[in-house]
Amino acid sequence: MTILVITGTGTEVGKTITTAAVAATALAAGRSVAVLKPAQTGVTPDERGDADEVARLTGAVTTLELARYPEPLAPATAARRAGLAPVRPHEVAEAAAKLATDHDLVLVEGAGGLLVRFDDEGGTLADAARLLDAPVLVVASAGLGTLNTTELTGRELRHRGLDFAGLVIGSWPDDPDLASRCNVADLPVVAGTALLGAVPVGAGSRTPVDFRAAAPSWLAPDLGGSWDAEAFSVGCAL
C-alpha cells in the first residue's frame, strides 16, 4: 500500500503512537514515509502537534499539517470558533496523493473517530479515504466499551465501501483486566477483520532509539512487523 488512513474508535485511544509505530516499522524496512495530519486541534502555533510527536519518535519522516486550531474540539467546531477556514476532504486527498508521489508510504492520521467532521457540510476522514481509495486502519482501546465502538466503526467502513485494513490496540495495559483479555479474541470477531497489533501503554514515553527498535514487535506482518496474534493471546478465563 502507498497510502494508509489511520483513524480511531474515539479520542485518546493511542492513534498518534500507533501511527508512529507504523512509520518506524516502515522506516526500518528502508521505506520512505510521510505523515499527514489534516487537522490538528487543541494546540497553539508554538506547541508540538501529533505529526511533530511522530517525527520525534521515528526520525526521518516528512510531516505535513493542513490546518491547526487552538481549541481541543472537533475540527469543524474548532475552525468555526477560531474564525479559520476548515479542512475539506478533497484537500486531504490532494495533499496525500501529492506526498505519495515522493514517498513509499503516506500515513494520514485523522482527528478522533472516523466520522468526526472536518467542515460544516459534514466532510469526514471517511470521505477523504473514499477519494483516495485508501485502506483504513482502526486503532481501538483495550478495555470495557471498546467492542461497541469498534463494531460501529467497522460497519460504517463497510457501508461506505471502504477497505477495513485491520485493527490495532493502541494502548495495551501492563496488567490487563478480564475485559481487556477477552477483547483480544472478541475485537476481530465484532469488527470482522484481523487484529494487527497491540502497542504497549506508555510506548510514547520511550526514548526514540528504544521506540524505533521495539515498534516492529508491536505490529503484525501485514504492517511490516513481527507481532504474532496467536502468541499474544492472553486468554479469557471462564
Side-chain angles (χ1 to χ4, degrees):
M1 70 188 77
T2 303
I3 300 175
L4 178 65
V5 175
I6 300 179
T7 190
T9 55
T11 59
E12 304 300 324
V13 294
K15 196 165 58 270
T16 296
I17 304 304
T18 298
T19 299
V22 175
T25 300
L27 288 168
R31 304 176 73 189
S32 58
V33 180
V35 176
L36 171 62
K37 183 73 176 183
Q40 175 69 65
T41 65
V43 295
T44 59
D46 59 342
E47 291 181 310
R48 297 178 61 85
D50 292 342
D52 299 316
E53 179 64 2
V54 174
R56 182 187 72 83
L57 289 169
T58 63
V61 296
T62 299
T63 60
L64 177 63
E65 203 178 81
L66 297 185
R68 176 174 287 213
Y69 310 112
E71 294 180 313
L73 303 167
T77 306
R80 185 172 63 250
R81 285 179 52 85
L84 297 172
V87 174
R88 311 286 185 185
H90 73 86
E91 295 171 330
V92 179
E94 290 168 2
K98 184 176 180 180
L99 287 168
T101 63
D102 298 318
H103 298 84
D104 298 321
L105 176 64
V106 178
L107 303 175
V108 183
E109 184 196 342
L114 181 69
L115 299 185
V116 170
R117 295 191 171 198
F118 283 143
D119 57 40
D120 288 336
E121 288 70 48
T124 67
L125 186 68
D127 296 314
R130 177 180 54 80
L131 290 170
L132 288 163
D133 193 25
V136 180
L137 180 70
V138 174
V139 181
S141 58
L144 196 64
T146 194
L147 298 180
N148 180 63
T149 54
T150 301
E151 184 167 0
L152 288 172
T153 301
R155 288 189 182 190
E156 185 63 22
L157 285 168
R158 293 191 176 88
H159 174 72
R160 291 171 175 258
L162 297 173
D163 179 3
F164 192 172
L167 290 171
V168 172
I169 296 173
S171 186
W172 180 252
D174 293 330
D175 184 19
D177 61 12
L178 178 61
S180 297
R181 298 197 304 274
C182 290
N183 287 340
V184 171
D186 291 341
L187 276 169
V189 173
V190 302
T193 191
L195 184 61
L196 297 182
V199 178
V201 65
S205 64
R206 299 190 181 202
T207 67
V209 171
D210 288 345
F211 184 92
R212 296 166 199 171
S217 69
W218 305 330
L219 302 174
D222 283 1
L223 295 174
S226 58
W227 184 82
D228 184 343
E230 186 173 344
F232 179 80
S233 177
V234 289
C236 180
L238 296 176

